[in-house]
Amino acid sequence: MSSLTLGYVNFFVSDFDRSLGFFRDQLGLKVLTEDSDSGYASFDTGPAQIAFAKAGDDQVELIGRHTGIGLIAEDIHITYEQMRAAGVEFEMPPTRQPWGGMLALFKDPDGNIFYLDQIPEDHP
């Protein structure tokens, strides 16, 4: 079998324009795809992209939950303060984790929860 790599992770939102503004303006992510007609946008987050899709009426239960998506910060404390200054709401401030790194939790405008991590240098 050929090798597989992670290319993107999708999550769902209720308001395309509000979410686009949040990820582009408040988080400062570069927009790769922006299609308001289909309600889809993707963002450059390094080797893998994150993307959102406007939820249909039958998908509203997929909004406002833990996404399992982690964004890595070189210095979590600086990034945390910059994000807070930009109006990002955090569920948990940077906190040392048993695996040696730091973790904070933040929410998008729909209440989707994302991880902000700082990985220790000796972590594989």
Side-chain angles (χ1 to χ4, degrees):
M1 178 181 292
S2 64
S3 65
L4 301 173
T5 60
L6 180 64
Y8 62 92
V9 177
N10 288 337
F11 55 96
F12 293 92
V13 301
S14 65
D15 184 306
F16 177 86
D17 291 327
R18 179 180 68 180
S19 295
L20 179 65
F22 176 80
F23 288 95
R24 180 192 59 211
D25 303 333
Q26 288 181 265
L27 294 189
L29 297 178
K30 179 183 175 189
V31 178
L32 298 175
T33 305
E34 177 185 339
D35 185 353
S36 61
D37 291 337
S38 67
Y40 186 82
S42 66
F43 304 87
D44 183 3
T45 52
Q49 301 169 15
I50 62 169
F52 66 74
K54 186 173 181 322
D57 292 340
D58 61 340
Q59 298 170 314
V60 293
E61 73 277 0
L62 299 175
I63 299 172
R65 52 196 325 185
H66 274 269
T67 64
I69 297 172
L71 299 175
I72 307 301
E74 197 170 307
D75 185 318
I76 195 169
H77 296 290
I78 291 172
T79 303
Y80 170 76
E81 291 302 332
Q82 291 170 334
M83 289 172 68
R84 283 187 42 168
V88 176
E89 181 182 346
F90 278 81
E91 287 276 303
M92 181 179 86
T95 305
R96 176 79 51 202
Q97 298 300 300
W99 48 270
M102 299 289 289
L103 172 71
L105 302 175
F106 69 92
K107 296 195 302 188
D108 75 0
D110 279 304
N112 292 313
I113 297 174
F114 296 82
Y115 305 96
L116 178 64
D117 292 288
Q118 182 176 327
I119 308 297
E121 289 183 23
D122 61 347
H123 196 271

